Amino acid sequence: MGAVGRWVLLPVLVLTALGAAVRGGPGPVTCGSVVKLLNVRHNVRLHSHDVRYGSGSGQQSVTGVSAADDGNSYWRVRGRTAAVCERGTPVRCGQAIRLTHLGTGRNLHSHRFASPLSGNQEVSAFGEAGEGDYLDDWTVVCSGTYWARDSEVRFQHTSTDVFLSVTGEQYGRPIHGQKEVHGMATSSQNNYWKVMEGIFMQPSEVFKAGQYHTEL
């Protein structure tokens, strides 16, 4: 198994072995969690695979799929480029993060190329073994203090300000039936995402202690 394969598989195996993760339920999304993200309006999960765009950047494609059990729709929540977000730290609304595709080790990415079908801004997966560049950073746009697992949120590209979106355009071969994922300059109902299946790191003891004192 290559270096990327080890990087991709080990986090989930370790979490499961240590019993350090919990599934579902209320609470904040935390760094280190591995999640599937559903576009609420179009009912597709954020997906990637080692298939490259035939136009634009030629980087690894990112699409939306309807199958809930798809194994290529898991993304790991990490701190922004060149920053550390400790495992179990709740993600704040307004915080910049990276979403790293578990199957290929590439980060959700955007740049000023046109997307293949709609002509909006291309969204791709970029980097190697979890390391890319500053165009991998996305700001979590939500209400309240923390990104809640049961809330609908938006992801705004930190460098170009577009929102991660689906508007329904559908690919033909070789990825027949999958929906285009792209960046849109305006906020709309096409931008909202919700955490579905996943492995959630428990909030750190520091966060839980702070929450306890706030409630006193």
Side-chain angles (χ1 to χ4, degrees), residues 24-53:
V29 175
T30 53
C31 287
S33 295
V34 176
V35 300
K36 290 185 177 183
L37 294 166
L38 179 78
N39 182 276
V40 178
R41 183 164 190 177
H42 293 277
N43 198 37
V44 291
R45 286 162 173 77
L46 188 68
H47 168 99
S48 192
H49 39 221
D50 198 10
V51 175
R52 295 183 177 271
Y53 288 123

Side-chain angles (χ1 to χ4, degrees), residues 21-132:
V22 294
R23 294 179 180 271
V29 175
T30 53
C31 287
S33 295
V34 176
V35 300
K36 290 185 177 183
L37 294 166
L38 179 78
N39 182 276
V40 178
R41 183 164 190 177
H42 293 277
N43 198 37
V44 291
R45 286 162 173 77
L46 188 68
H47 168 99
S48 192
H49 39 221
D50 198 10
V51 175
R52 295 183 177 271
Y53 288 123
S55 61
S57 69
Q59 293 177 2
Q60 182 171 302
S61 57
V62 173
T63 62
V65 297
S66 57
D69 60 353
D70 177 74
N72 282 319
S73 299
Y74 284 107
W75 300 81
R76 184 179 173 210
V77 181
R78 304 171 65 209
R80 68 184 301 163
T81 303
V84 175
C85 184
E86 295 292 341
R87 192 173 65 190
T89 301
V91 176
R92 290 181 172 271
C93 293
Q95 181 177 335
I97 62 167
R98 283 174 291 176
L99 292 169
T100 302
H101 186 241
L102 202 65
T104 61
R106 297 189 173 104
N107 299 321
L108 190 70
H109 181 94
S110 193
H111 39 212
R112 297 190 188 281
F113 287 92
S115 60
L117 301 183
S118 67
N120 286 300
Q121 185 163 300
E122 182 187 277
V123 170
S124 63
F126 175 74
E128 293 294 336
E131 297 306 320

Side-chain angles (χ1 to χ4, degrees), residues 39 42 118 120 165-169 179-180 182 184 188 190:
N39 182 276
H42 293 277
S118 67
N120 286 300
S165 305
V166 177
T167 49
E169 296 84 4
K179 300 291 179 67
E180 181 183 85
H182 51 245
M184 290 185 68
S188 74
N190 296 308

Side-chain angles (χ1 to χ4, degrees), residues 109-166:
H109 181 94
S110 193
H111 39 212
R112 297 190 188 281
F113 287 92
S115 60
L117 301 183
S118 67
N120 286 300
Q121 185 163 300
E122 182 187 277
V123 170
S124 63
F126 175 74
E128 293 294 336
E131 297 306 320
D133 63 24
Y134 69 97
L135 293 174
D136 301 339
D137 295 340
W138 298 80
T139 299
V140 181
V141 180
C142 52
S143 58
T145 304
Y146 297 103
W147 175 10
R149 293 181 205 162
D150 57 357
S151 66
E152 296 179 7
V153 305
R154 288 173 291 156
F155 299 100
Q156 187 169 26
H157 193 237
T158 305
S159 295
T160 64
D161 294 331
V162 296
F163 294 95
L164 185 69
S165 305
V166 177

